[in-house]
Amino acid sequence: MSAQRSSRRRNVGTFPTALPPARTLEVRAADGTKLHTQVFGPPDGYPIVLAHGITCAIRVWGHQIADLSADHRVIAYDHRGHGRSGVPKRGGYSLTHLASDLDSVLEATLAPGERAVIAGHSMGGIAINAWSDRFRHRVQQRADAVALINTTSGNLLSEVDLLRVPAPAQRLREQTARRALQTFGSVPIAGPAHIAMRRFVHMLAVGAEADPSVNALICDLFAKTPAVGRGHWVRVLTDSLGPGSFIDLDGLTVPTLVIGSTRDRLLPIRVSQRIADTAPNLARFIEVSGGHCSILEHPGVVNRELRALVELAAGSVRGVAVGSAYTS
């Protein structure tokens, strides 16, 4: 291992072995599905809401929760079909469910009239995008700002970097990506599939320079996510955000932080750039090195940017003049 790579790994820091003490809530979604929710930090702290990515759970935010909950109220929840949340009935998976669940968590955890900074990684960012489109009247009521981390607004299969092919073979690339994602999304993790899964997850989700503990955590979370939940969500995302399909971001009117990774194979940096180019109220666009899991690979950068976003939001609330970007 080169000295440079060793240094980068040391800068990640040790992943917290346990989350800080929390108050646990069982939020009920609009259709009755249980959404496991935890609230960390001082009850009177400024609220930051965290929405994780597909096949993950609350603890993937361990670095952010450990840091931000020291002086903020951090609210995190498991998506339906993930972690300790319920598995919905048939038909209970869609972008509308994803958006509605976020709205239910906000309604259950924020005081009347209270607004938060809402951050989403990967599918969590899609949840924020879908919420801003389907619940436009709620954005100004519940959000001071949002952070979209390693996420997308659409055209998913055309962007996944599984297979490099010439332009005329683009359709083949999309079909290959669909089959691969749906197969690995729904396969039970046992025997030889476990080894194949680890290799596939490492290739798509984790940067080559990441500490080995990052891959171990992501693989563990993947394996512990019910196969039925994984399978349904992969199908929803590949079908709803297929070629040429995009979530309308016009409702995303609050200051928006966008973070993308230069070697992200699942949602390449150009996807984050597209969001930054189309977000109505871009606050800042950050590029980091590494793979899809910047919240684990570069937690210090992500934490710093989230704190800066909170300061931006607080300045706006106090009536302080704020420009289109803030300094890191």
Side-chain angles (χ1 to χ4, degrees), residues 294-312:
S294 63
I295 61 174
L296 293 166
E297 296 177 52
H298 294 281
V301 174
V302 173
N303 295 351
R304 182 192 69 204
E305 295 299 329
L306 289 177
R307 285 185 173 276
L309 190 61
V310 170
E311 286 301 310
L312 172 70

Side-chain angles (χ1 to χ4, degrees), residues 4-5 7-13 15 60-61 63-64 67 121 149-150 206-211 214 259-264 286-306:
Q4 183 181 25
R5 180 175 296 182
S7 175
R8 287 177 180 175
R9 287 185 173 180
R10 285 197 299 270
N11 289 338
V12 170
F15 189 81
V60 77
W61 291 104
H63 285 298
Q64 288 68 47
D67 177 21
H121 174 255
I149 307 169
N150 298 105
V206 181
E209 296 173 347
D211 188 274
V214 174
I259 298 177
S261 300
T262 57
R263 297 183 182 179
D264 188 341
I286 295 291
E287 293 186 17
V288 296
S289 63
H292 184 64
C293 295
S294 63
I295 61 174
L296 293 166
E297 296 177 52
H298 294 281
V301 174
V302 173
N303 295 351
R304 182 192 69 204
E305 295 299 329
L306 289 177

Side-chain angles (χ1 to χ4, degrees), residues 214-238:
V214 174
N215 189 61
L217 174 64
I218 293 299
C219 288
D220 182 57
L221 291 171
F222 183 99
K224 289 181 178 178
T225 303
V228 62
R230 286 191 270 112
H232 278 300
W233 277 124
V234 168
R235 283 190 289 275
V236 165
L237 298 182
T238 54

